[in-house]
Amino acid sequence: NCIRGRNKNPREGVAMKMAVKQAGFTLIELMIALVVLTLVIVGFIGANIQAQKNTEEMNERTVAIQNANQVIEQMRTISNTDPFPASVVNAYPDNSHPLGFNDLDNELITVSYTGTTGSPTTENPLQITITVTWTSYSGRQSSESVQTYITQRG
């Protein structure tokens, strides 16, 4: 039954050849793995770029709100002088643009008096809206508004 150099069972030789073929990765398996890895890396880079853009836009919004609050604080300081509210309205007329703020690209701050029943020079408390507009990191026009009331401190 046994031929010299051959196994008794011819199936053992076929099984041995199949085992040798399955020992490594095929070229197709490696290519698929590289495509999957590439997609994961591209997705990670895209998410990282978007996170950076979001961070920059949030930083711009924070600066805009800080600038609006700075204008409000300047107005509150002026509100301590007589006559109130005329002193504030004269220093910052309705729809005026305070100067000296250029932390953002094309930044423009607008002071407006809202909710007034008559002239803002007679309102107490003054309802004020500070609007900051600028050109954002992404090139879009952006805007933030802060609204507050100011009354004369006693």
Side-chain angles (χ1 to χ4, degrees), residues 24 105 108:
D105 288 342
L108 180 66

mmCIF file with all atom_site columns, all heavy atoms in Angstrom, residues 24 105 108:
data_model
loop_
_atom_site.group_PDB
_atom_site.id
_atom_site.type_symbol
_atom_site.label_atom_id
_atom_site.label_alt_id
_atom_site.label_comp_id
_atom_site.label_asym_id
_atom_site.label_entity_id
_atom_site.label_seq_id
_atom_site.pdbx_PDB_ins_code
_atom_site.Cartn_x
_atom_site.Cartn_y
_atom_site.Cartn_z
_atom_site.occupancy
_atom_site.B_iso_or_equiv
_atom_site.pdbx_formal_charge
_atom_site.auth_seq_id
_atom_site.auth_comp_id
_atom_site.auth_asym_id
_atom_site.auth_atom_id
_atom_site.pdbx_PDB_model_num
ATOM 1  N N   . GLY A 1 24  ? -0.253  32.690 5.519  1.00 0.00 ? 24  GLY A N   1
ATOM 2  C CA  . GLY A 1 24  ? -0.024  34.140 5.477  1.00 0.00 ? 24  GLY A CA  1
ATOM 3  C C   . GLY A 1 24  ? -1.229  34.877 4.945  1.00 0.00 ? 24  GLY A C   1
ATOM 4  O O   . GLY A 1 24  ? -2.290  34.301 4.719  1.00 0.00 ? 24  GLY A O   1
ATOM 5  N N   . ASP A 1 105 ? -11.288 90.386 12.819 1.00 0.00 ? 105 ASP A N   1
ATOM 6  C CA  . ASP A 1 105 ? -11.253 90.926 11.452 1.00 0.00 ? 105 ASP A CA  1
ATOM 7  C C   . ASP A 1 105 ? -12.539 91.692 11.163 1.00 0.00 ? 105 ASP A C   1
ATOM 8  O O   . ASP A 1 105 ? -13.639 91.184 11.367 1.00 0.00 ? 105 ASP A O   1
ATOM 9  C CB  . ASP A 1 105 ? -11.106 89.797 10.426 1.00 0.00 ? 105 ASP A CB  1
ATOM 10 C CG  . ASP A 1 105 ? -9.725  89.171 10.437 1.00 0.00 ? 105 ASP A CG  1
ATOM 11 O OD1 . ASP A 1 105 ? -8.782  89.813 10.969 1.00 0.00 ? 105 ASP A OD1 1
ATOM 12 O OD2 . ASP A 1 105 ? -9.574  88.054 9.924  1.00 0.00 ? 105 ASP A OD2 1
ATOM 13 N N   . LEU A 1 108 ? -16.949 95.402 14.107 1.00 0.00 ? 108 LEU A N   1
ATOM 14 C CA  . LEU A 1 108 ? -17.771 96.598 14.234 1.00 0.00 ? 108 LEU A CA  1
ATOM 15 C C   . LEU A 1 108 ? -18.719 96.386 15.412 1.00 0.00 ? 108 LEU A C   1
ATOM 16 O O   . LEU A 1 108 ? -19.457 95.402 15.456 1.00 0.00 ? 108 LEU A O   1
ATOM 17 C CB  . LEU A 1 108 ? -18.574 96.851 12.951 1.00 0.00 ? 108 LEU A CB  1
ATOM 18 C CG  . LEU A 1 108 ? -19.465 98.081 12.959 1.00 0.00 ? 108 LEU A CG  1
ATOM 19 C CD1 . LEU A 1 108 ? -18.632 99.359 13.024 1.00 0.00 ? 108 LEU A CD1 1
ATOM 20 C CD2 . LEU A 1 108 ? -20.359 98.088 11.742 1.00 0.00 ? 108 LEU A CD2 1
#
